[in-house]
Amino acid sequence: MQYFGKKSFSSFLYVLIEIAWYLGFAAIAACGVVFGLVALNDPASVMAYLKGTQVDGYVLGFRSWGLEVRMPLSVMANPTPLLSMMAMVAVRLCVIQAIVFQLKRILAGLRDGQLFREEDARRVRTIGIVVLVGIVANGLTSLLAGIAAGKGIHIEGASLRAIGGIDLVEVLAGLVILVLGELLAQAAAMRADQELIV
Amino acid sequence: MAIKVNLDRVLLERGVSLTELSERVGLTLANLSILKGNKAKAVRFSTLDAICRELGCQPGDILEREAEAGGRA
């Protein structure tokens, strides 16, 4: 299998990433539309609208620790939890888009057969930084969404408590990406040197 | 750089063009131009050997160490 150049694995990945790039924008736009609808319109009518369009009339849901929780809209006293969840999703999508953009540029270079470029090293390091910043941003927005959900969702007999925190595995992944970026920078420098050896 | 390449002078003395030398030693014209223009960061022994063989000279005829601006020879 050919990994670099035209009609290679890289060019196939580039097409996938390109699709993900546009889907990401569509998802962010969808978040914005729902956010705007809930924030600017009468919350009751928007919630009634959402009830009619969502599967089984459920719009609130989260997954954590291998558990998916879905709640009926009736448990929501006000639209703040929905807004905060939309904001949380939008922040995550923005982080993903930033990573996808850098990957897109790297894969474009690989597709064209350009290896070990200083530009790619810089992009890999940017991905590492975005991952680390994204972890903090995700943690904060999750915490804020959790606080909003705790105040705005009332389920009889259940207590909701906002919890923050960061995923250490994700932090490790971000650090590993930074190290790989540095490694690529060294490789790019070696390549530049190699080009001037006759 | 303190190492100066005198390839242009040796070529002139031997009456050999850079294109002709590139064909004779099997190096690309681009690489020889890098060497001639003092842009090369390193020269392989095999390259130096081929150039010296074709031009009938010694490595010292092509490479020369210049005294640095600080004055150390």
Side-chain angles (χ1 to χ4, degrees):
Chain A
M1 180 187 248
Q2 199 181 339
Y3 283 93
F4 310 113
K6 302 271 181 220
K7 294 179 182 173
S8 66
F9 189 59
S10 302
S11 61
F12 171 68
L13 275 180
Y14 178 80
V15 173
L16 288 184
I17 286 286
E18 186 91 348
I19 293 168
W21 172 246
Y22 290 112
L23 285 178
F25 276 123
I28 289 172
C31 269
V33 168
V34 174
F35 194 95
L37 280 173
V38 177
L40 301 175
N41 290 289
D42 173 29
S45 65
V46 172
M47 283 159 74
Y49 170 76
L50 288 172
K51 260 184 190 174
T53 53
Q54 296 293 318
V55 179
D56 301 331
Y58 293 86
V59 290
L60 286 177
F62 64 87
R63 292 176 191 187
S64 182
W65 305 104
L67 180 73
E68 185 182 83
V69 179
R70 284 174 161 255
M71 294 163 277
L73 274 172
S74 55
V75 302
M76 199 159 64
N78 57 55
T80 313
L82 190 57
L83 290 175
S84 56
M85 280 181 194
M86 281 296 151
M88 185 180 74
V89 171
V91 166
R92 288 190 180 179
L93 285 173
C94 286
V95 169
I96 291 170
Q97 280 299 86
I99 294 170
V100 165
F101 175 74
Q102 301 297 340
L103 276 178
K104 214 162 80 84
R105 300 315 314 153
I106 292 170
L107 285 169
L110 297 181
R111 181 197 58 186
D112 296 339
Q114 296 172 329
L115 310 178
F116 302 116
R117 295 184 302 173
E118 173 56 35
E119 182 194 332
D120 289 343
R122 204 174 57 246
R123 290 190 185 284
V124 171
R125 281 188 292 219
T126 304
I127 290 174
I129 292 167
V130 168
V131 166
L132 292 174
V133 170
I135 291 164
V136 176
N138 284 341
L140 280 175
T141 50
S142 299
L143 183 66
L144 293 174
I147 291 169
K151 286 181 179 170
I153 296 174
H154 301 295
I155 306 170
E156 204 169 318
S159 72
L160 294 174
R161 187 170 61 91
I163 48 167
I166 52 172
D167 191 335
L168 287 179
V169 176
E170 286 180 7
V171 172
L172 191 65
L175 293 174
V176 167
I177 293 169
L178 280 180
V179 170
L180 287 177
E182 199 52 47
L183 196 68
L184 196 55
Q186 293 292 323
M190 284 169 71
R191 179 186 174 239
D193 263 4
Q194 188 69 26
E195 278 177 351
L196 292 175
I197 294 176
V198 295
Chain B
M1 186 181 283
I3 301 294
K4 188 184 165 200
V5 179
N6 292 320
L7 186 62
D8 49 353
R9 195 196 51 175
V10 178
L11 283 173
L12 198 68
E13 285 170 3
R14 304 291 191 279
V16 179
S17 71
L18 202 64
T19 313
E20 194 184 338
L21 181 67
S22 79
E23 286 165 4
R24 278 159 61 177
V25 298
L27 276 175
T28 62
L29 194 58
N31 271 346
L32 271 181
S33 295
I34 288 171
L35 185 63
K36 186 175 160 239
N38 257 311
K39 299 270 190 329
K41 288 193 174 179
V43 187
R44 290 189 184 90
F45 281 154
S46 57
T47 303
L48 203 54
D49 180 50
I51 292 171
C52 289
R53 188 185 62 233
E54 291 303 324
L55 296 178
C57 64
Q58 290 296 316
D61 298 329
I62 295 171
L63 302 177
E64 179 191 346
R65 184 172 182 275
E66 283 184 326
E68 285 175 37
R72 275 204 318 176

